[in-house]
Structures are given as C-alpha cells and as structure tokens.
Amino acid sequence: MKLTFKIIALLSFFQLNVLAQQKTITSPVGNQKPVDLVNVFLGSSGDHGQMSPAASYPFSMLSIGPQTYPKTHTGYEYLAKKFEGFTHNRFEGVGCQGSGGNIFIKPFLGNDPLKSQLIKISEKATPGYYEVGFENKIKAAFAVLKNAGKHVYQLPKGEKGIYLDLGYAFNGAFVTEEHVVNGNTISGWIESKTTCGAGKYRIYYHLEIKGNANWVSLSDHKLIARLNINETNAEINVALSSVSADAARLSVNRKNIEEIKAQSNTDWNTNLSKITVTGNRESAKLFYSLLYRTMQSPYVISENDGQYRNTKGELQKDSEVRYNGWAIWDNYRTQLPLLSLIVPDRYTGMITSIADLYRSGKKDYATQKEPSNTVRTEHAIVVLLDAYRKGYPVDFSKITDSLEKEIKGLDYKSPDKALESSYDNWALSEIFKILENREKADYYKDKTLEYKKYWNKDFKDISKRDVDQMQARGLYQGTIWQYRWFVPYDFKGLIELDGGEEAYLAKLDEFFERDLYNHANEPDLQVPVMYNVTRQGYKSQYWMRQLAADTVIQNYFNDNSRGIGSYIGKIYRNQPQAYLRTMDDDAGAMSAWYVFAASGFSPACVGWPVYYLNVPLFSSVTYNLPKGKTFKIETENFSLKNKYIKSVTLNGKPFKKNYITQNEINNGGILKIISSSVPIKISDTENWISSIEE
C-alpha cells in the first residue's frame, strides 16, 4: 500500500469519528432568505481574508464603512474598540496593505474633533447596511443603494459636529483633490493611488448634510459642520461617480434610511438567490457569506445615461454598462468564471469593459487615470477567450493589435513568469484560430510550446534543495513545487514532460502527502483538480472536499513564508478570523473557489468552458438561470463522509464524463451525483484533458 492511501485512510478514520459527533441537518434552509444568512463580519479580523463589514451594494464603487485603530487592509479590525471615523470606498480582500478609504467623516462631541473619542460598545451589519454605537452615546448607521448612500447619526444634546477630511486615504495614498462648498453641500473629485500604489484613480462625489448646518473649511482638505446644540439627529447623503460631480449629485438618494436599507436588502437577496442550496443551515450561512463576497467588484462606472470614463480619463458613452476595478490575476481562475454563470446580464458588460482596456492603454497594473480603484489585469486575454467560448460577444478583430502588443511585452525572466506568459501566448493562438488566421495562430502556438524549455530547466528536477522555498529563483509568490503545475492549457503535454502518467501521479501524490499545496495564495489553486486528467480522478474528489470543508495541514502563507508551525484545521470558517493566516480573499477569488467546490463543479482550464465534477457540500444546489431555467445538482446518498462520485446522470440519462460544459449548465436540467464513502478506482468516464496539440 502506498503512503498516500495510508494517509487518506487515517484521515478518513479521523473524520468519521468527528462526523459521528456532529448533528447534520439535511433539509431546506427554511423560510430564511439567502440575504439573512450572510455574515458580513466573516474575514474581518486580523490577516484572515482582509474583508470589511461596510455597507455595500452589488458591484458598487461606494461602500460606507468604519475606520478603526488598529486597522487591517480594508481599514477595519473586528476586535478593535477605537474608531477613527468612516470612509466611502475600499477594495475588499486585496494585498499591499489595501487601498481606498476616501472621504473620511467623523461625528464628534465638543469643539475639537481630534479630542472626541469613538469607543465601540455595539455593532451589527447586514448586506447593504452597517450600524455602530459608541460609549459617548453617538450612534451611527449607514445604508448603500447603487452608487448612493446615507449616513444617520444620533447624538446627545450639547456641542457637537461632523468632521470631514478629503485628504484621507489608506497608507498615505491620497494625491490631490478639488472641491466646491455651497452651504450644506460639498462636491468635487479626489485622486488617490491605487492598490499597491501602481497608478491613480479619480472619483467624483457629491455630499450634503441635512438641515441648517453648513460646511466650513479648517484647512486645505479638512472641513467641519457644527450642529445645533439641541439637535439629536444628523443625516448625510452621498453619491460617487466616475464621470462628474454633477452626475454624482443626480445620483443622490434622499429617501429615508429604512427605505434605502430595505431596497438594498431586496437587491442583495435577488443576487444571492442566483444559487439556492438545501442542507445544513450552518453550511448555508458560510456558503451565502462567501457568495456575497464574490459580488463586491468589479464596479459599475457608467451612469444611467451611458456616460463613463475609460482608463485614459476620456469621457465615453454607450448603452452597455461599463465596469472597472480589476484583480484579474487573482480572480480570473474562479470569481470571473462564477460571475459568467450567475450574472450573465452583467458579465456581458464586464467582458466588454475588459476588451475596452485594450483600446485605452491597458497595463498589467493601473494607469494614471483610472475611473475607480483597481489592482491588476494580467491574463485578461485568457478571460476574453474564456468568455467568447461561453457564448459572450467579443469582437477580437478590433483589438488584435493591442493583444499582440501586450503579448510581445511579456516577461520571461523568472520561472513563474515564463509559465504565466505562456498561458497568454496560448490564449492569443486560440484567438487567431477563431479569427481564422492560421499563420499567426501557429506562430503563437510555437511561442506557447516554448514553455517546455522553461519547465525542463526549472521544474522537472525537484531534487534540488530550493524547490520548497518561497521565492526561490526569483519566483513571485510560491515555490518551485507549487508553480510546476501551472500549465493549465496543456496538461497532456505536462504529463509527457513529467515522464508519463505514473511519474506524474507519483509527483502529484508527493505534493499532497508532504503538504506542499498552498491555499493561502493562487499560484497552485488549480492543482486539486489535476488528478482528473488521469485514471485516479477520485483523488481530486477527495482533495476538493478536504480543502473546502475538512481538516487540512498548511505550511505556506501569503507573506512568502513557510511557517514555523503548521496550520491544522479548516480553511473556510464563518467567523471574523476566517481563512488561513495571511490569506487574502483577493476580490472574491477564494470565496468563489469555495462556492464552486460546494456546488459540485470547478473550472478545469480558464479559456475552455469546462468544469470538473466533485461531490457537492449540499444535498441539492440549484443555479437559477435566465428565462426561468434552472440547473440543479442533486446528491444521492448525501453525507459529509461520502466524498467520492459513484455515478452521474443528467436529466435521467447516464452521464459518462468527469466534467460538464457551460452550455450543458446553461441548458438547465438535473445533474444527479450518486456519492460514495469509498473511492471508485475503476471508472469508465470520459476524462477531459487540455492539450495544445490538435
């Protein structure tokens, strides 16, 4: 018996004992709506996700949330008691110490806002809404609907006011601003550095305080509004725009906070109801809390009249909604493919917006004139190919020159970049096939195949001492072991390079036996599904379940370290200290990975509309599709210990494949997975494997 099976047997025995002590409920979640199951505080403590409980709206650039001392990447720490104030944007879950935090507002008592402390004593939040109470009797509540929001403060009688700092941003990222004061209103624009300080974005805003209070300047960027000593309530309306301050003014919502909160709640529920799960209520809470995280970005940047600004800062107009705020290198693997399934109406605009980047001076990181906060856009070409093959319109003919320019500028200096760049070469080769340009398709195919020389040079021999060291040989975030699997477009070729299927399986087994896999970051995120290209696909079924819902051992972290002590436990937990230490959600990337695993299928290779199957985490999962269609995944013999697929049917007929396509999902129907507690080692399924060779 191989060591891998001994380990699996021991883990299975341990899990059976744990599961026997757990009370599992396999019934519908009940009358509760998905929005009521969301925990917005998940991942908001320490370096465990870098998420915030800010009041937000699906894909809105406006999110009103607290700034605490101390803070995390989004400006908020769940355990912190001291609040500095509140701001109006943040990029959820990203690294480089985060970014955003513009338009800082602080309610205060007395005459000096800096001497008035806000110490938290109560707090609650739901999607679209956040409220907090302080020791000094100030209470604050916020609601967001689209790109408009409202502040409501309750304050004791006496001297008090509202302090505003237009020069505030995370980590000194503020660049410049201009504003106009008109009594109780302020409007203008703010420029700040983007995530990692790579470029700049400009946001326009309009802000008004209700009542007789007027804004008075204290210095260049700081203002104050004194409130009547007998007044016990204050309201502020605010809206953001990428177009102009006047557009922001037209977006201001002057309804009361309960109406805004209720509509935002309804809209969040509509979005979260794209997927319906049946099963354990606690599992459903985790599922919807993570699904919520996949809908924070990218941001809507166009106005109702179709106006928007591109990444050159130019004013444009189109009938299709435009988006910005990208973290594509992080979430092209999971979040964007998920959005292609659950929000197809929005995804068309997202794909058009990504294609637009090539028309307005795309860079891997931000430009100097971004219309919103953003991160990075590597592998955008892969996303466009993937979308086209999923039926989304992409006019490649208009951007081929820009695509080629980007590909010719790719970096091959380090081993990881060589493999990453080869992925983009593959995508361009496939695009030229679509355009029926055989000469260029073959040229970029040959460029792609050069990955083999890079792979043989750095990744074939894993006997060297540095193969499990973070950042060895100039790697960005990962080890030689973790990056050696990054050939998603040619798994067939990778197996041949590794010496055939037996040798490939031996290396893959060793990778997991030695706990070399790193779920704290993305470089090896696809590896758990890579048994599916062999006759031992049941091992992928095992690892997908293990990583999503059971105890694992993790040794590597997102700060480019191999920890002194192993992490032993679950990765996904519905609590403020969720995820692994240092693990970022990366704009919904890690949340979407879980949503896929829980649903029973995950992307096989972005660029192909193919998903590998695994046993879901619920007895049934239903994707509610356009035009009243549904795609339902039912699990027969559902139990947390039944992690292996025994057989599958689609609409009552035997389904002899280990994968399903986007078209099959979009057609609707019922996929029934018969699960088993023991692996099915001899299978007659058709296994999908990526290959460059036709």
Side-chain angles (χ1 to χ4, degrees):
M1 178 181 279
K2 290 185 179 180
L3 178 59
T4 182
F5 297 119
K6 289 181 180 178
I7 290 176
I8 289 174
L10 286 169
L11 284 170
S12 297
F13 177 77
F14 172 75
Q15 292 151 24
L16 284 170
N17 280 280
V18 172
L19 290 167
Q21 300 172 47
Q22 294 178 342
K23 184 179 180 182
T24 302
I25 305 168
T26 54
S27 60
V29 173
N31 295 324
Q32 278 193 290
K33 298 178 294 186
V35 71
D36 295 330
L37 298 172
V38 173
N39 173 17
V40 301
F41 292 101
L42 185 154
S44 64
S45 181
D47 203 346
H48 293 267
Q50 304 296 356
M51 295 177 263
S52 84
S56 66
Y57 185 84
F59 308 107
S60 170
M61 69 173 75
L62 174 67
S63 60
I64 308 176
Q67 303 293 124
T68 64
Y69 177 82
K71 65 179 178 65
T72 60
H73 290 28
T74 56
Y76 171 87
E77 162 58 56
Y78 178 78
L79 297 175
K81 297 295 185 182
K82 183 179 179 180
F83 277 45
E84 296 181 334
F86 306 94
T87 59
H88 294 76
N89 63 334
R90 64 231 350 105
F91 210 123
E92 296 281 348
V94 297
C96 291
Q97 301 304 307
S99 62
N102 295 129
I103 312 177
F104 176 92
I105 287 180
K106 178 183 179 181
F108 67 93
L109 302 182
N111 293 307
D112 187 346
L114 299 180
K115 293 181 179 179
S116 180
Q117 286 199 337
L118 298 174
I119 307 300
K120 177 178 71 175
I121 59 171
S122 66
E123 180 179 40
K124 68 178 182 179
T126 57
Y129 179 78
Y130 174 85
E131 71 172 54
V132 60
F134 300 108
E135 285 183 354
N136 62 4
K137 308 301 182 184
I138 291 178
K139 291 183 179 179
F142 312 93
V144 171
L145 182 63
K146 297 185 178 179
N147 279 344
K150 184 179 286 288
H151 300 227
V152 173
Y153 299 103
Q154 296 177 34
L155 309 100
K157 291 183 178 181
E159 297 286 343
K160 55 186 169 288
I162 304 293
Y163 171 74
L164 172 63
D165 185 354
L166 297 173
Y168 184 94
F170 281 121
N171 305 314
F174 169 75
V175 177
T176 187
E177 62 94 10
E178 286 187 5
H179 66 269
V180 175
V181 178
N182 185 9
N184 68 332
T185 70
I186 302 176
S187 59
W189 53 262
I190 297 171
E191 283 187 0
S192 291
K193 296 176 184 177
T194 67
T195 310
C196 306
K200 296 195 299 286
Y201 65 91
R202 174 182 286 193
I203 56 169
Y204 296 86
Y205 67 92
H206 181 86
L207 185 148
E208 59 187 37
I209 186 167
K210 186 178 178 181
N212 296 320
N214 291 327
W215 295 103
V216 177
S217 295
L218 297 177
S219 61
D220 287 345
H221 310 302
K222 298 176 174 62
L223 302 98
I224 198 168
R226 301 270 177 196
L227 303 177
N228 187 290
I229 60 172
N230 294 315
E231 187 64 62
T232 57
N233 290 283
E235 290 188 12
I236 295 173
N237 294 318
V238 62
L240 300 185
S241 172
S242 76
V243 171
S244 67
D246 193 53
R249 179 183 60 81
L250 293 173
S251 296
V252 167
N253 191 328
R254 295 180 177 85
K255 292 182 178 180
N256 66 54
I257 193 168
E258 290 303 321
E259 290 177 290
I260 296 173
K261 175 185 176 184
Q263 187 60 57
S264 186
N265 185 275
T266 296
D267 292 353
W268 266 115
N269 192 62
T270 298
N271 281 271
L272 295 166
S273 297
K274 300 287 187 178
I275 308 176
T276 305
V277 300
T278 301
N280 179 277
R281 186 170 179 273
E282 293 305 312
S283 297
K285 285 182 177 181
L286 175 60
F287 180 88
Y288 284 113
S289 297
L290 295 173
L291 181 59
Y292 166 76
R293 290 296 167 187
T294 69
M295 301 182 188
Q296 301 290 326
S297 61
Y299 311 124
V300 174
I301 59 166
S302 53
E303 298 298 326
N304 291 333
D305 64 359
Q307 289 193 92
Y308 68 96
R309 290 187 185 273
N310 63 19
T311 53
K312 288 182 178 179
E314 299 167 336
L315 196 61
Q316 306 284 317
K317 189 172 184 179
D318 193 73
S319 59
E320 195 167 66
V321 175
R322 289 303 199 275
Y323 294 82
N324 194 58
W326 307 109
I328 296 177
W329 185 87
D330 297 311
N331 58 28
Y332 80 94
R333 299 165 173 87
T334 53
Q335 186 240 14
L336 291 175
L338 180 66
L339 297 183
S340 79
L341 283 166
I342 63 175
V343 287
D345 53 336
R346 288 185 178 273
Y347 202 65
T348 299
M350 292 176 188
I351 290 303
T352 300
S353 301
I354 292 173
D356 280 349
L357 297 175
Y358 288 96
R359 300 188 184 100
S360 59
K362 177 185 174 297
K363 297 181 178 180
D364 284 348
Y365 277 84
T367 71
Q368 295 300 312
K369 294 186 177 181
E370 294 287 341
S372 74
N373 199 354
T374 192
V375 188
R376 53 196 304 185
T377 60
E378 296 100 321
H379 298 316
I381 186 173
V382 177
V383 174
L384 293 178
L385 173 65
D386 186 69
Y388 178 86
R389 285 179 164 160
K390 290 174 177 176
Y392 290 94
V394 183
D395 191 347
F396 290 117
S397 63
K398 291 183 177 179
I399 57 173
T400 49
D401 288 348
S402 296
L403 292 173
E404 282 197 273
K405 181 180 178 181
E406 179 179 55
I407 296 304
K408 288 175 181 177
L410 292 174
D411 187 353
Y412 299 82
K413 293 177 183 176
S414 59
D416 55 333
K417 288 183 177 179
L419 295 187
E420 296 268 359
S421 297
S422 297
Y423 197 2
D424 287 0
N425 274 290
W426 169 78
L428 187 56
S429 174
E430 295 296 307
I431 287 169
F432 276 119
K433 283 184 189 177
I434 292 167
L435 295 174
E436 298 182 347
N437 187 331
R438 176 54 61 180
E439 181 181 352
K440 287 194 173 181
D442 288 344
Y443 173 80
Y444 286 105
K445 175 183 173 181
D446 290 341
K447 288 289 292 181
T448 306
L449 288 169
E450 290 179 9
Y451 87 83
K452 294 184 178 183
K453 73 178 183 182
Y454 298 111
W455 196 91
N456 281 323
K457 175 180 177 291
D458 278 296
F459 298 104
K460 188 177 185 68
D461 183 359
I462 52 173
S463 65
K464 297 180 180 179
R465 293 181 61 184
D466 67 348
V467 294
D468 64 348
Q469 295 175 14
M470 298 292 285
Q471 296 186 294
R473 307 181 206 175
L475 298 177
Y476 172 50
Q477 289 181 327
T479 67
I480 293 294
W481 260 112
Q482 289 156 13
Y483 267 107
R484 80 185 306 269
W485 312 103
F486 192 76
V487 192
Y489 46 86
D490 192 23
F491 284 151
K492 183 178 180 181
L494 177 62
I495 290 174
E496 292 170 356
L497 286 175
D498 221 4
E501 186 171 306
E502 289 297 332
Y504 169 86
L505 282 169
K507 300 291 195 309
L508 204 50
D509 286 343
E510 182 181 356
F511 182 68
F512 284 107
E513 286 169 7
R514 293 175 55 193
D515 302 307
L516 298 172
Y517 173 73
N518 177 17
H519 202 77
N521 211 340
E522 283 87 0
D524 57 354
L525 206 60
Q526 81 287 352
V527 184
V529 304
M530 289 180 64
Y531 283 105
N532 282 304
V533 303
T534 75
R535 65 185 185 280
Q536 295 184 6
Y538 60 89
K539 292 181 181 177
S540 279
Q541 297 159 25
Y542 171 85
W543 281 110
M544 292 300 288
R545 171 62 63 83
Q546 201 71 19
L547 291 163
D550 219 321
T551 298
V552 294
I553 299 170
Q554 292 281 280
N555 290 315
Y556 298 90
F557 299 93
N558 198 21
D559 56 3
N560 293 313
S561 70
R562 177 165 181 162
I564 297 173
S566 301
Y567 170 82
I568 304 173
K570 289 185 178 182
I571 296 173
Y572 291 93
R573 294 160 291 169
N574 188 12
Q575 61 189 46
Q577 286 193 334
Y579 291 175
L580 306 171
R581 179 182 66 81
T582 78
M583 179 174 162
D584 297 339
D585 189 41
D586 281 328
M590 293 307 192
S591 292
W593 186 95
Y594 178 91
V595 171
F596 271 126
S599 298
F601 58 94
S602 295
C605 170
V606 179
W608 290 109
V610 177
Y611 302 86
Y612 286 126
L613 299 177
N614 63 273
V615 179
L617 296 179
F618 298 92
S619 57
S620 75
V621 180
T622 302
Y623 277 63
N624 299 301
L625 307 170
K627 299 180 181 179
K629 288 185 178 181
T630 60
F631 178 70
K632 187 175 185 180
I633 308 101
E634 293 182 345
T635 305
E636 191 172 299
N637 304 326
F638 178 79
S639 169
L640 291 181
K641 71 178 185 296
N642 293 348
K643 64 189 71 174
Y644 300 104
I645 297 175
K646 185 176 182 180
S647 61
V648 182
T649 63
L650 179 61
N651 297 325
K653 297 179 181 179
F655 192 72
K656 297 291 186 178
K657 300 191 295 185
N658 75 341
Y659 66 96
I660 192 164
T661 66
Q662 183 106 348
N663 190 51
E664 287 168 325
I665 294 170
N666 287 338
N667 284 338
I670 299 176
L671 185 79
K672 180 175 284 188
I673 294 176
I674 294 86
S675 63
S676 169
S677 62
V678 296
I680 310 304
K681 296 182 180 180
I682 300 176
S683 173
D684 59 353
T685 60
E686 173 193 334
N687 293 359
W688 187 86
I689 181 169
S690 61
S691 175
I692 293 179
E693 303 298 339
E694 295 178 348

